[in-house]
Amino acid sequence: MLTAPELPSRVFTDPLTDSSRWSGFTPRAGDIVVSTPPKSGTTWTQGILAMLIAGDPEVDAQTSMKSPWIDISLRDLDEVMARLESQDHRRQVKTHSPFDCIPVWSELRYVTVYRHPIDVHFSMRKHRRNMGSHVGLPPLPEDPSESFRDFLSGEDHTSLPAILDHFQCTRAREPRENLIRLHYADMLRDLSGAVAQIADHVGIDHPADLTAACVEAATFDNMKANADRFTPSAGQGFWNSDAGFFDSASSNKWEGRLTEADLAAYGAVMDGALSPEDRRWLEWGSTG
């Protein structure tokens, strides 16, 4: 029997998500929740966890089927929960909702990952172009400055206000033994260290050679080459290209594409929401 959770204090909804769907989730002790803003390393982290849980770098991760995004309103909730309930191994799920929008249990492990917000937006631009038309989201403006202005003041889960909201809700809950905060840039710099951090946080210990094989399998090039195993909803026609889900794993995507006025507007939002220390970390990770 799990202890009573901290209940959500609000509901987050947008055209694609509804955090109230968490009311249908029945947790088990040891479940892992990957909680991130979108395009911040969610699938990367879930792929790592799939390999660690299975003890197999060749695991068929099938993240959207085996470790689903609870909040996405495109999938029938009863079907999602039935898939989770049928699993007899350790489970993981994902959310893009802030912590005060979901129930939080002390017996679960929570992994958060963040990325430079401007990189998130430019990665999302390519991500949206790769989506099939059936998703029903309008295309982003072709002009980077126009889409960036929308990003700075938007209300959906891909906007800068949503990223800041998510980050601030995580910071407000730290430190907690069952919560870890990672940064995409740190994972790029030291993937082996990131895998070790994740494994230690969730209490999974493998021999060094197996862990090293998981690290190699978790590289960007390997995940892109094995998109059929790692891309969410691979083979279901959700993407124009399953391999295209993995873009470039690069940073500073905005260089030469935004104006000084764009960057000044972004800076004003960031400085109005975060301390200098938190802003440096959210943008650059531990080396910020």
Side-chain angles (χ1 to χ4, degrees):
M1 178 71 69
L2 302 186
T3 57
E6 297 175 41
L7 295 176
S9 59
R10 59 188 172 116
V11 174
F12 182 85
T13 60
D14 69 11
L16 199 59
T17 65
D18 179 359
S19 68
S20 70
R21 288 166 58 92
W22 275 88
S23 63
F25 177 70
T26 302
R28 299 175 189 169
D31 280 347
I32 303 164
V33 179
V34 177
S35 175
T36 69
K39 305 309 296 176
S40 297
T42 323
T43 300
W44 194 6
T45 303
Q46 287 199 287
I48 291 168
L49 281 166
M51 290 185 277
L52 291 173
I53 290 169
D56 180 8
E58 301 296 324
V59 68
D60 187 3
Q62 291 188 44
T63 53
S64 61
M65 295 291 103
K66 296 180 180 179
S67 47
W69 177 10
I70 299 296
D71 318 66
I72 190 169
S73 53
L74 297 180
R75 295 193 184 276
D76 179 76
L77 183 60
D78 289 339
E79 186 270 332
V80 171
M81 295 306 157
R83 271 193 280 115
L84 279 171
E85 188 61 32
S86 70
Q87 295 181 20
D88 57 9
H89 54 76
R90 193 168 181 186
R91 307 183 307 178
Q92 58 159 321
V93 296
K94 86 171 187 181
T95 181
H96 292 315
S97 297
F99 276 113
D100 61 358
C101 297
I102 66 172
V104 178
W105 290 267
S106 60
E107 294 88 351
L108 275 60
R109 310 302 286 186
Y110 295 85
V111 181
T112 65
V113 190
Y114 295 93
R115 186 182 188 184
H116 196 301
I118 307 183
D119 276 326
V120 169
H121 176 64
F122 276 82
S123 183
M124 179 58 70
R125 283 173 57 85
K126 290 191 175 181
H127 183 71
R128 289 278 290 272
R129 286 196 292 269
N130 193 35
M131 284 182 177
S133 59
H134 66 279
V135 177
L137 297 177
L140 294 177
E142 285 297 320
D143 175 24
S145 288
E146 183 180 351
S147 73
F148 193 65
R149 286 192 294 271
D150 293 342
F151 167 70
L152 295 183
S153 59
E155 298 181 350
D156 68 23
H157 72 287
T158 70
S159 67
L160 180 58
I163 294 171
L164 293 170
D165 184 16
H166 193 290
F167 179 67
Q168 290 167 322
C169 284
T170 296
R171 292 288 283 127
R173 283 157 178 76
E174 294 175 331
R176 294 195 183 189
E177 184 270 339
N178 67 339
L179 171 63
I180 188 173
R181 172 164 48 95
L182 305 173
H183 197 282
Y184 190 96
D186 295 328
M187 294 173 70
L188 281 177
R189 282 188 288 264
D190 182 11
L191 181 55
S192 179
V195 171
Q197 278 186 282
I198 294 168
D200 180 68
H201 178 66
V202 301
I204 294 177
D205 186 24
H206 291 304
D209 59 343
L210 176 55
T211 300
C214 290
V215 172
E216 180 61 29
T219 61
F220 173 81
D221 288 344
N222 185 72
M223 284 194 166
K224 187 179 183 75
N226 291 279
D228 59 318
R229 294 194 285 120
F230 290 109
T231 296
S233 303
Q236 299 179 32
F238 195 86
W239 310 104
N240 296 321
S241 165
D242 287 345
F245 180 88
F246 298 96
D247 177 26
S248 64
S250 62
S251 299
N252 295 33
K253 295 173 182 287
W254 68 88
E255 290 184 345
R257 305 186 67 189
L258 295 175
T259 68
E260 290 186 8
D262 293 333
L263 294 174
Y266 161 79
V269 175
M270 294 290 284
D271 289 340
L274 302 177
S275 69
E277 294 77 16
D278 276 352
R279 176 177 174 177
R280 279 194 298 272
W281 189 90
L282 181 57
E283 291 179 329
W284 306 112
S286 62
T287 64

